[in-house]
Amino acid sequence: MPLSTIDLTGLSNPFGAPTGGNVMASWNTAGRPATPSTGQYGYNTTYGGVEVYNGSAWDTITGGPAFNGTTNTSTSISTSTWTKITLNTTLFDTNSNFSTSNYRFTPTVAGYYQINGFVEFNSATTSLNAFVAIYKNGSVYQYGSHAGFNATNGIGLTVSTVVQCNGSTDYIELYATQNTGSTQTVSSSSYMSGSFIRSA
Amino acid sequence: MLIDQIKAIYPSLTDADFMPYGTIHLQNDSDGKGDYIKSWTNSNPQPTEEQLQATGK
């Protein structure tokens, strides 16, 4: 009768290679172990990260999405109308989760995300009250800063928050509005960035 | 603009009646479909599309 046992499940080379590190088990999301043990971990090839089973779900350890959506065009905003900022390009988008055609971030890994937004209103000839907000699934999630001014140099507004996403259908967008009484424009220096910070 | 159509129907409305502090939420999803009424909890009834178009604005 052995004094102890060692569970080698999932280890392709438990004693290590002569030169180089161990290679952990890997799978894609659809091919995850059917009956995982709490603490079992492996490399998920679907999103390219390490995950561990917490007893009820898979927690992502590494490889969570990060993005920075920017724009090379201005966005016209009718007075008193919340308008999505047309973020039509990216500086980076690690998991291809940001759409530059509908300007939204739809993460494929469930968890909490730090989201940051910035919009810059171009100069206005009338006094301007401007607002910015992060939207989740098409509705206001949280407002950011707002300002009232008589602008000749424009104004920048920021928003920063943490959003929980389900990793499949939840999406995040950046909106802004103003109430000058006429249409104003948001400049091409606007952006929204974000990064996975922990599993759900 | 949509807000001009709404104010033509309800002249007593002011900017304060619109989001973020008010009861009327206008939105544009930058999808080419233009401005629309996202939500309406104002005491006045929400105008119909026909009423909006009839303002001529």
Side-chain angles (χ1 to χ4, degrees):
Chain A
M1 185 173 187
L3 295 175
S4 63
T5 60
I6 300 174
D7 183 0
L8 302 180
T9 302
L11 296 179
S12 60
N13 184 359
F15 304 109
T19 56
N22 293 326
V23 177
M24 70 175 64
S26 65
W27 48 70
N28 58 29
T29 298
R32 283 168 169 161
T35 55
S37 302
T38 299
Q40 187 171 344
Y41 61 94
Y43 182 79
N44 188 319
T45 58
T46 299
Y47 62 83
V50 176
E51 58 188 16
V52 60
Y53 191 71
N54 66 14
S56 59
W58 291 95
D59 283 345
T60 296
I61 301 173
T62 68
F67 74 98
N68 192 324
T70 62
T71 180
N72 53 27
T73 66
S74 60
T75 302
S76 295
I77 299 182
S78 301
T79 189
S80 298
T81 303
W82 285 92
T83 302
K84 191 194 309 185
I85 306 304
T86 55
L87 303 172
N88 62 357
T89 186
T90 60
L91 296 181
F92 58 84
D93 179 18
T94 62
N95 293 44
S96 299
N97 287 166
F98 190 85
S99 169
T100 55
S101 58
N102 58 18
Y103 326 123
R104 69 175 54 159
F105 174 61
T106 310
T108 52
V109 176
Y112 295 87
Y113 288 82
Q114 173 68 50
I115 302 293
N116 315 294
F118 172 77
V119 296
E120 181 181 50
F121 280 86
N122 292 324
S123 59
T125 56
T126 58
S127 62
L128 170 67
N129 281 308
F131 307 83
V132 63
I134 293 294
Y135 271 49
K136 179 182 179 183
N137 300 334
S139 298
V140 174
Y141 177 73
Q142 280 185 319
Y143 296 111
S145 59
H146 74 273
F149 70 116
N150 195 331
T152 55
N153 297 317
I155 191 170
L157 303 175
T158 61
V159 57
S160 180
T161 186
V162 174
V163 187
Q164 183 178 11
C165 293
N166 62 12
S168 56
T169 59
D170 287 342
Y171 59 92
I172 307 300
E173 299 164 312
L174 180 66
Y175 277 71
T177 188
Q178 51 83 25
N179 63 359
T180 60
S182 59
T183 297
Q184 302 296 330
T185 57
V186 164
S187 80
S188 58
S189 60
S190 304
Y191 68 86
M192 179 173 69
S193 63
S195 178
F196 174 88
I197 54 176
R198 62 153 288 164
S199 292
Chain B
M1 285 188 290
L2 177 57
I3 190 172
D4 295 327
Q5 296 174 326
I6 294 171
K7 285 183 173 179
I9 297 170
Y10 300 118
S12 62
L13 293 178
T14 67
D15 286 344
D17 290 304
F18 295 83
M19 290 284 283
Y21 305 123
T23 55
I24 302 169
H25 185 165
L26 308 184
Q27 190 160 306
N28 186 317
D29 296 327
S30 297
D31 54 4
K33 297 179 180 176
D35 303 341
Y36 67 97
I37 299 173
K38 170 73 173 177
S39 66
W40 182 288
T41 56
N42 192 270
S43 57
N44 295 300
Q46 180 174 335
T48 64
E49 186 61 32
E50 290 72 22
Q51 289 175 307
L52 293 170
Q53 294 304 320
T55 63
K57 299 213 178 260

